Amino acid sequence: MISEAGNLPAAFTSFVGRRHLIAEIRRVLGPARLLTLTGMGGVGKTRLALEAAAESRKAFADGVWLVDLAPVREAIAVADAAAAALGVPELGARPALEQFTGYLAGRRALIVLDNCEHLVDACAELAQALLSAAPEVRVLATSRQTLGIAGEHVLVVPPLSVPDEAVELLRDRATAVRPEFRITELNHAGASRLCADLDGLPLAIELAASRLRTLTVDQAVDRLEDRFTLLTSGSRTARPRQRTLRALVDWSYELCGPAERLLWNRLSVFVGGFTLDAVEAVCVGEGIARHEVVDLLDRLVGQSIVLATEQEGLPRYRMLETIRHYGRLRLAESDEEQRLLTKHRDFYLALAERAADTWYGPGQQQTLARLRAEHNDLLAALSHGGDPQAELALAAALRYHWCADRYLGEGRRRLDRALAGAPEPTSARARALWAAAWVALLQGDPAAADEWLTEAGELGEQLDDATVRANVLGFRGTLALFRGHPEEAVSFFEDAVAAHTALGEEATTVFWLFQLARTQALLGDPRAAETARRAVAISQAHGEGLNRAYALWALGLDALARGDLAVAMVLTRAGLEIQRDFNDYVGAALLLELHAWISAAGDDHERAGRLLGAVRALWRDTGTKLSVFGPDLAEHHARCAAAVVGALGPLAYQKALTEGSRHDRPGRGIAFALAGAVVAATPATATAPSSLTRRERQVASLVAEGMTNRQIAAALVLSPRTVGGHVDRILAKLGYGRRVQIATWWAENQVPDPCE
């Protein structure tokens, strides 16, 4: 439901106290556009903001969204982080800030900007731009410093009241680690004293509570008092509460064993959370053995130093920013900081290269999910410095993260920077050049793509790198197609397919085959369908998914051009079924466009109008246009829109567009397309209902197209044996003995599916 949209993390602990503050936040956010929660570190600004935001969901039809800025280190990346948090695709050449504000214009949403203090100027710029562009958006910020812009309301978050709220929090968190723990008459005074000594700071209390697993309340008070005595000669310019928080973290650090402290320090190189395999790759050695990692992590989780969580459905760990920052300071005091940063970069380089090397195979969805979860650390690895060639290799290896997800803008910036910083004629530069050309093509910048491809081609020859030369040929074809030169494009695509085949890279040919099929269809070449089927078959054989969806789109285009609406619809739906597992704005938009054109050709104009509305929302959010992918597609769109306007009238057309635009994410648009009615036949030729099931109708339409069982299996993502069973049942129901009779029956009796 739209009213439940957002990305607020699930609460792993109960929320204690502060009901009056939540009520005040919700009251202020009615008339106010911007509310900033300020207060010292550890006072609970983030948790309070998240709780208030969660309780405000119903007031914001387009969602409540968290933008966590703690991992962001550069002011220029603030808008990128905000766009990524909302899932705004970075597919256009416009600045990220412009794309982000444009996406939210006209939407009613609550944006939580968390941890703004280290980037306060950039956050102020973001908030100002957002409030100017999107009048129905509210911003709830957390920062140790106000943003200082007009219209800002400020709420200072105080510590918990002592003893009431503070002791309740201590009891709640201590019970979590020691179920038999109770606040009694005997220890209530000590608990109150402990909370008072910690100034009611939630973070400090939570850390202290973790110690009550092994200490009594009085022992905790005594140890904390000793620690405060040692700190009296520390910084006298810091406020007492800041000294208290540092004292508590110092205390928690010193209560850890040597190996626990060492791991704490090393974990601080991860800026966006981490997985077990990342810890084992980066943090082991020189004091920590690989087999010790799980136990050490468990101990740090038990002490609230590390939090267990999940992201993109993957189990992960993270550290509170205060804790991570403390560990980073400790790491900087050692002589191993640079070594750890290098290991961090090498781990993410290896991860990205594995993703690139195994892309044309199974698990693409999982690969992209992992890269999304690691996005902040991937950017950190790109920024470590010290080895320009490694940065170049990483930027190139992330090409599917940039191009097959929603990070085109980030990819363009990172590749541009990496190429500028490493001009040497290396293999890494050659790969980065054609990757940069791909990004530029998708952004609608053919001039930049042409420049990168020229250098990549020269470098491929110089290095005698056949794979680079093959990819340059293919992208030359894409460039020619996008520029409206299909005959030239065909030649390039055919050469690219031949080159990759000669290199034993059959799976890679899928990427060029679907583009070749699409171009052949544009030229009216009768080989188009066979080329696309070849792409589908190779994709199926290798377990690849995303390019299979594009190949089905090319097949659907060809079927539509031949007037075979039923086959075109079956192929389009099969492509959408694959796409629903991805977050590919371009692929979803192309398939939904085709769905709209088929619907209009079948006289379902209202549905076509709604699909065009969904498509319009997707193209708007990509920052690119359909015409980028070839002028003929723009002509198809114009004809479809004209047909819908002619059938419905301008007012009804606008209504359909508006209704469709609510499906403004790939998943929403695909769900709408697959759930509704489908054109299964040329209009006005349908006869009485048949006894065939919905799946049998799909199979029959493809049998009529002349496909083999294996080709039908690839198109519908089934096994050949399953398709054979469907064909046998179709023959039995129709009383036929040969496949050709199915084709004849289908041509004469195309029947709309009553279930759709």
Side-chain angles (χ1 to χ4, degrees):
M1 294 174 58
I2 294 176
S3 61
E4 296 179 355
N7 67 340
L8 297 186
F12 288 90
T13 55
S14 59
F15 186 78
V16 175
R18 293 184 159 172
R19 305 311 307 178
H20 63 292
L21 285 178
I22 291 178
E24 179 64 8
I25 291 170
R26 297 183 67 185
R27 185 192 67 79
V28 173
L29 279 176
R33 302 284 314 285
L34 168 63
L35 173 61
T36 301
L37 306 184
T38 65
M40 61 170 299
V43 79
K45 300 183 294 295
T46 295
R47 186 61 194 276
L48 179 61
L50 293 179
E51 192 71 17
E55 293 191 14
S56 303
R57 283 184 187 274
K58 292 183 179 179
F60 297 93
D62 293 305
V64 178
W65 303 89
L66 170 65
V67 180
D68 182 9
L69 296 168
V72 181
R73 287 291 167 266
E74 299 174 333
I76 195 174
V78 167
D80 297 321
L86 269 70
V88 179
E90 285 195 72
L91 302 180
R94 293 180 299 157
L97 179 59
E98 184 180 337
Q99 292 186 55
F100 179 65
T101 55
Y103 176 79
L104 285 169
R107 286 178 164 88
R108 182 168 180 79
L110 173 62
I111 310 299
V112 180
L113 297 180
D114 192 34
N115 296 300
C116 297
E117 53 271 358
H118 61 303
L119 297 164
V120 66
D121 290 339
C123 291
E125 180 185 3
L126 173 66
Q128 184 69 65
L130 182 57
L131 297 178
S132 298
E136 292 300 310
V137 166
R138 300 290 186 270
V139 177
L140 178 59
T142 74
S143 177
R144 298 180 195 178
Q145 180 181 350
T146 61
L147 301 187
I149 62 177
E152 180 183 26
H153 290 244
V154 177
L155 178 62
V156 178
V157 179
L160 296 172
S161 62
V162 179
D164 299 333
E165 292 177 332
V167 171
E168 176 60 16
L169 179 63
L170 182 72
R171 182 204 62 76
D172 183 85
R173 300 302 191 259
T175 302
V177 298
R178 185 176 161 190
E180 71 275 16
F181 180 82
R182 299 289 184 274
I183 298 291
T184 67
E185 291 184 3
L186 295 177
N187 65 9
H188 189 277
S192 298
R193 172 75 180 278
L194 179 63
C195 291
D197 286 345
L198 297 174
D199 279 347
L201 290 172
L203 175 59
I205 292 169
E206 294 203 17
L207 288 170
S210 72
R211 291 298 169 192
L212 297 183
R213 179 167 53 181
T214 54
L215 301 176
T216 67
V217 172
D218 289 337
Q219 286 174 326
V221 171
D222 291 339
R223 289 177 179 240
L224 189 58
E225 280 187 335
D226 291 340
R227 188 64 192 137
F228 288 164
T229 301
L230 293 174
L231 285 175
T232 53
S233 59
S235 173
R236 297 184 180 278
T237 61
R239 290 186 290 179
R241 287 173 182 164
Q242 292 172 320
R243 295 201 303 269
T244 300
L245 182 61
R246 175 60 187 257
L248 181 67
V249 181
D250 279 335
W251 174 59
S252 188
Y253 186 81
E254 292 182 2
L255 286 175
C256 290
E260 293 168 359
R261 294 183 207 170
L262 190 58
L263 184 57
W264 180 345
N265 297 348
R266 293 177 179 177
L267 291 175
S268 68
V269 299
F270 297 105
V271 300
F274 44 88
T275 55
L276 179 60
D277 64 324
V279 178
E280 290 174 334
V282 176
C283 299
V284 299
E286 300 188 26
I288 299 177
R290 186 183 183 89
H291 70 271
E292 296 178 300
V293 168
V294 173
D295 182 57
L296 289 173
L297 265 179
D298 183 63
R299 281 188 251 164
L300 291 178
V301 170
Q303 298 173 67
S304 297
I305 304 303
V306 172
L307 303 177
T309 181
E310 70 173 43
Q311 187 176 348
E312 297 283 353
L314 304 172
R316 295 178 66 80
Y317 300 91
R318 68 182 181 91
M319 303 172 79
L320 295 175
E321 184 61 16
T322 299
I323 299 300
R324 193 189 75 82
H325 181 68
Y326 180 92
R328 192 60 184 271
L329 292 174
R330 290 286 192 170
L331 183 65
E333 295 170 358
S334 71
D335 59 357
E336 65 173 9
E337 182 178 25
Q338 190 55 50
R339 180 179 67 84
L340 263 293
L341 291 175
T342 299
K343 291 182 71 174
H344 177 274
R345 183 202 63 218
D346 290 347
F347 172 78
Y348 287 104
L349 174 57
L351 177 71
E353 289 185 330
R354 282 197 304 274
D357 292 342
T358 61
W359 175 251
Y360 290 99
Q364 289 175 326
Q365 302 96 319
Q366 293 84 351
T367 293
L368 292 177
R370 176 69 187 272
L371 295 178
R372 282 195 300 271
E374 304 288 6
H375 183 72
N376 287 322
D377 274 282
L378 290 167
L379 298 187
L382 281 165
S383 302
H384 284 333
D387 189 347
Q389 289 298 319
E391 180 180 344
L392 200 60
L394 178 54
L398 288 171
R399 53 189 175 271
Y400 301 108
H401 183 54
W402 310 136
C403 296
D405 216 319
R406 58 175 188 255
Y407 299 107
L408 272 181
E410 185 73 62
R412 179 71 179 270
R413 287 187 291 276
R414 296 291 175 167
L415 283 162
D416 283 353
R417 188 170 81 173
L419 286 166
E424 298 80 11
T426 63
S427 295
R429 181 172 180 84
R431 289 191 299 273
L433 284 166
W434 65 256
W438 185 14
V439 170
L441 283 167
L442 291 177
Q443 285 190 315
D445 189 352
D450 196 356
E451 178 183 346
W452 293 136
L453 289 173
T454 297
E455 184 182 350
E458 294 170 351
L459 198 50
E461 293 294 339
Q462 180 181 339
L463 299 172
D464 193 23
D465 191 323
T467 297
V468 169
R469 292 198 298 266
N471 281 296
V472 169
L473 284 170
F475 283 116
R476 279 289 179 198
T478 307
L479 179 60
L481 175 62
F482 286 8
R483 282 178 163 173
H485 306 299
E487 294 87 355
E488 182 183 353
V490 165
S491 178
F492 279 122
F493 288 140
E494 289 176 339
D495 289 345
V497 170
H500 281 291
T501 302
L503 289 168
E505 299 171 351
E506 181 189 52
T508 307
T509 64
V510 173
F511 187 61
W512 310 119
L513 283 169
F514 92 74
Q515 296 186 71
L516 174 59
R518 177 262 190 277
T519 312
Q520 289 172 332
L522 173 60
L523 293 170
D525 189 328
R527 298 174 297 171
E530 184 55 38
T531 301
R533 289 184 195 128
R534 180 183 170 193
V536 169
I538 294 174
S539 173
Q540 182 79 5
H542 290 273
E544 193 272 346
L546 192 60
N547 288 287
R548 184 158 75 251
Y550 280 91
L552 291 168
W553 169 74
L555 267 174
L557 269 177
D558 180 68
L560 176 62
R562 290 184 287 100
D564 197 336
L565 303 189
V567 171
M569 184 60 79
V570 169
L571 294 165
T572 302
R573 287 173 63 84
L576 288 169
E577 288 282 1
I578 296 172
Q579 276 281 349
R580 74 193 313 168
D581 292 328
F582 291 89
N583 190 44
D584 178 13
Y585 276 71
V586 170
L590 289 172
L591 281 159
L592 290 172
E593 280 272 9
L594 180 55
H595 198 313
W597 304 342
I598 298 167
S599 297
D603 287 346
D604 193 349
H605 294 103
E606 184 174 350
R607 180 170 182 75
R610 292 178 180 177
L611 286 165
L612 289 178
V615 166
R616 184 173 67 174
L618 293 180
W619 287 128
R620 176 197 65 209
D621 292 339
T622 63
T624 189
K625 298 178 180 178
L626 178 63
S627 58
V628 166
F629 302 92
D632 62 306
L633 299 184
E635 293 172 4
H636 273 296
H637 178 94
R639 285 196 297 269
C640 177
V644 175
V645 172
L648 301 182
L651 292 180
Y653 173 61
Q654 287 300 322
K655 180 182 178 183
L657 285 178
T658 300
E659 292 175 353
S661 66
R662 296 170 185 162
H663 307 288
D664 58 353
R665 299 284 177 107
R668 293 175 185 171
I670 291 170
F672 167 68
L674 294 177
V678 176
V679 174
T682 304
T685 64
T687 61
S690 159
S691 61
L692 299 188
T693 67
R694 174 182 170 188
R695 179 62 85 185
E696 287 166 354
R697 292 170 186 276
Q698 292 177 325
V699 172
S701 72
L702 298 182
V703 169
E705 174 67 13
M707 289 189 183
T708 65
N709 284 1
R710 185 172 296 278
Q711 290 169 335
I712 296 171
L716 299 182
V717 197
L718 300 171
S719 71
R721 178 178 296 179
T722 299
V723 172
H726 283 308
V727 172
D728 290 342
R729 284 188 290 276
I730 293 168
L731 290 170
K733 288 182 178 181
L734 298 178
Y736 294 148
R738 293 178 298 140
R739 294 169 69 95
V740 67
Q741 292 173 296
I742 296 177
T744 302
W745 174 85
W746 181 261
E748 296 175 351
N749 300 280
Q750 297 182 50
V751 184
D753 189 339
C755 297
E756 295 188 332

